[in-house]
Amino acid sequence: MLHLPVRLYLSHFHYGSLPEGMVSLLQTMAKYSLGVYLMHPFFYDLMRYNLGINPMEYPPLLSVPVCAMILYVISFIITAILSQIPGLRK
């Protein structure tokens, strides 16, 4: 749900006002956003039930952002790898 306000906020930006590296990063993140959205519950369950890492056992101020970032990075990497397989992009 957080992506909607961020998307609305960024839609009012002109890409010319952002550094080129930031534009490239945002475009890459947007390209894989659906895959990240679909993959993150799988990795959350894997982390929680198979690896025994429960973010609710730690202080939320630290565990929620750290776990969210870890889940995003893992989901992003796997989605990027899967997108390179021929025939999956149809």
Side-chain angles (χ1 to χ4, degrees):
M1 285 299 190
L2 180 63
H3 78 282
L4 186 59
V6 171
R7 176 173 272 215
L8 289 173
Y9 177 73
L10 289 177
S11 70
H12 294 290
F13 264 120
H14 298 288
Y15 279 135
S17 64
L18 294 175
E20 185 61 35
M22 181 65 84
V23 171
S24 176
L25 177 65
L26 288 174
Q27 289 173 340
T28 304
M29 290 170 62
K31 180 180 176 182
Y32 298 125
S33 63
L34 178 63
V36 170
Y37 172 74
L38 294 174
M39 296 291 280
H40 86 275
F42 171 75
F43 290 112
Y44 177 76
D45 287 345
L46 180 73
M47 178 181 73
R48 185 163 182 200
Y49 298 114
N50 294 357
L51 299 177
I53 301 170
N54 186 358
M56 301 305 161
E57 293 177 356
Y58 304 101
L61 189 61
L62 179 64
S63 68
V64 171
V66 169
C67 287
M69 190 55 113
I70 290 170
L71 288 173
Y72 180 81
V73 169
I74 291 171
S75 299
F76 183 85
I77 291 170
I78 297 299
T79 301
I81 291 170
L82 289 176
S83 74
Q84 301 301 315
I85 298 174
L88 288 182
R89 300 192 86 190
K90 292 183 180 185

